[in-house]
Amino acid sequence: MYKVKVYVTLRESILDPQGKAITGGLHKLGFGEVQDVRIGKYIEMTLDGCACNSTDGKIAPTACKNVEERVKQMCAKLLANEVMEDFRYEIEEII
Amino acid sequence: MRYAVIVFPGSNCDVDMYHAVKDALGCEVEYVWHNETSLDGFDGVLIPGGFSYGDYLRCGAMSALSDIIPAVRKAAADGKPILGVCNGFQILTEIGLLPGVLLRNTGMKFMCRFTNLKVENNNTTFTKLYQQGEEISFPIAHGEGNYCADEATLAKLKAENRIVFTYAENPNGSAENIAGIINESGNVLGMMPHPERAVEELLGGADGLKLFKSILQIWSGGAK
């Protein structure tokens, strides 16, 4: 099994009005050192066994060879919209 | 002309769409639930506004995975007119029938009021009956209508005359004041303002009527 943590953030070039509002809020609370706040999404997934070695999508009891490639595809196809968002991920094998 | 109004869980302008084409235009229309798989027998497809799937993940992201979407793609490829309004526009960008994305309004506010638009291209299926440059008034009702695309896409939209409507006064931070764009083949229009809510004076305005009449006229003259 794998524990996957995905972080989705707005691209640098995209204005983040929520982040701007929160920057203002933190300033109001006396945290004047805050220069910039960017809001993103944190997605945690548990991957069961390994479907990624099989062509029929069924779970095979083997070690995952391309778990990273699969996670990348999940991000690109659904979890992030690459027109406006970047993503990164951490993959940890769990027993 | 027979229309389909696609209904997702969380659509809330489906009845407005239905009313606009049925009562204001006299077209045939049916609701099509998102887990249907065919749009055969329909001449046009309307994707209404709302908050499909509660805007989970991103506006339109979950709807993009619905069973009906392959049929929407097929209708688009077949050249049938497809109109996505508000959440419908967001869905069209998520499924890639239109480029770009709709971001949170720069002012952070949900904007709900009549807004003036300019018809930038009246040479489309959807705008034939408007004058080029005509100022019209449609209601907007969105929190995420800030159109965004990279420079190359914006340049292409401009060069190909695919920006159909712009805001007279930008309410949401949209690039190039974009309120509505069309696809390359000219049969898929996505827009944030609501023409279906402006089809009779009793409801505050009837400027939207010409949009639906344009589609009907083109269709009657022989579908493209």
Side-chain angles (χ1 to χ4, degrees):
Chain A
M1 300 238 289
Y2 297 87
K3 175 78 92 187
V4 179
K5 297 170 178 175
V6 178
Y7 304 86
V8 180
T9 49
L10 282 176
R11 292 199 153 177
E12 282 300 320
S13 57
I14 305 279
L15 180 75
D16 180 359
Q18 279 193 89
K20 276 225 157 17
I22 290 165
T23 307
L26 286 168
H27 287 171
K28 221 174 193 174
L29 291 171
F31 300 104
E33 69 270 40
V34 177
Q35 291 222 324
D36 192 28
V37 176
R38 306 284 289 175
I39 303 290
K41 290 180 194 126
Y42 170 67
I43 301 164
E44 223 177 60
M45 302 189 288
T46 307
L47 306 193
D48 194 11
C50 191
C52 48
N53 296 328
S54 67
T55 46
D56 59 2
K58 286 192 185 136
I59 292 164
T62 51
C64 235
K65 284 188 188 133
N66 54 356
V67 61
E68 185 176 352
E69 188 47 42
R70 298 279 288 184
V71 169
K72 234 188 242 178
Q73 285 176 16
M74 291 178 206
C75 292
K77 285 188 175 172
L78 179 64
L79 303 180
N81 180 334
E82 292 185 271
V83 177
M84 59 168 169
E85 294 166 329
D86 288 322
F87 62 82
R88 65 186 175 85
Y89 48 79
E90 293 160 11
I91 301 171
E92 184 194 345
E93 195 163 2
I94 50 171
I95 310 298
Chain B
M1 181 167 189
R2 188 156 173 263
Y3 274 113
V5 173
I6 313 283
V7 186
F8 299 95
S11 294
N12 67 8
C13 299
D14 42 343
V15 179
D16 305 61
M17 278 288 199
Y18 189 98
H19 169 72
V21 291
K22 184 167 206 268
D23 301 321
L25 259 87
C27 291
E28 279 182 67
V29 56
E30 264 179 52
Y31 293 117
V32 176
W33 188 231
H34 67 102
N35 59 7
E36 299 279 330
T37 53
S38 167
L39 287 166
D40 291 349
F42 292 104
D43 306 304
V45 180
L46 304 169
I47 309 179
F51 298 86
S52 58
Y53 292 92
D55 282 350
Y56 290 173
L57 194 62
R58 295 180 303 277
C59 306
M62 304 313 296
S63 307
L65 305 176
S66 291
D67 294 339
I68 195 67
I69 295 301
V72 173
R73 285 186 201 283
K74 182 176 179 296
D78 290 345
K80 291 179 184 170
I82 295 180
L83 171 66
V85 170
C86 199
N87 190 219
F89 185 13
Q90 294 163 341
I91 293 168
L92 287 173
T93 61
E94 276 286 335
I95 64 177
L97 283 182
L98 293 172
V101 71
L102 285 309
L103 299 173
R104 182 68 65 98
N105 296 347
T106 45
M108 293 295 284
K109 276 190 183 163
F110 188 95
M111 307 296 285
C112 187
R113 56 172 165 76
F114 268 85
T115 181
N116 289 334
L117 305 177
K118 188 177 164 198
V119 179
E120 295 287 344
N121 180 0
N122 76 335
N123 188 24
T124 79
T125 302
F126 304 88
T127 52
K128 274 266 181 332
L129 295 177
Y130 294 104
Q131 300 297 314
Q132 179 71 18
E134 187 176 340
E135 277 235 353
I136 54 177
S137 181
F138 288 176
I140 54 168
H142 60 250
E144 296 178 57
N146 172 3
Y147 184 80
C148 173
D150 59 36
E151 288 301 322
T153 305
L154 290 173
K156 192 164 188 278
L157 287 174
K158 266 196 197 166
E160 294 172 355
N161 240 336
R162 286 165 52 197
I163 300 171
V164 178
F165 298 108
T166 54
Y167 298 107
E169 275 177 60
N170 196 330
N172 53 26
S174 279
E176 306 287 341
N177 300 319
I178 285 173
I181 56 168
I182 203 163
N183 68 338
E184 272 175 4
S185 35
N187 64 316
V188 180
L189 172 68
M191 58 193 297
M192 289 312 295
H194 291 269
E196 81 283 8
R197 290 193 195 172
V199 293
E200 51 201 322
E201 292 298 341
L202 186 64
L203 297 180
D207 285 351
L209 206 49
K210 277 195 251 178
L211 188 147
F212 294 101
K213 282 187 173 166
S214 296
I215 306 173
L216 185 59
Q217 199 183 72
I218 298 276
W219 179 83
S220 307
K224 266 207 250 178

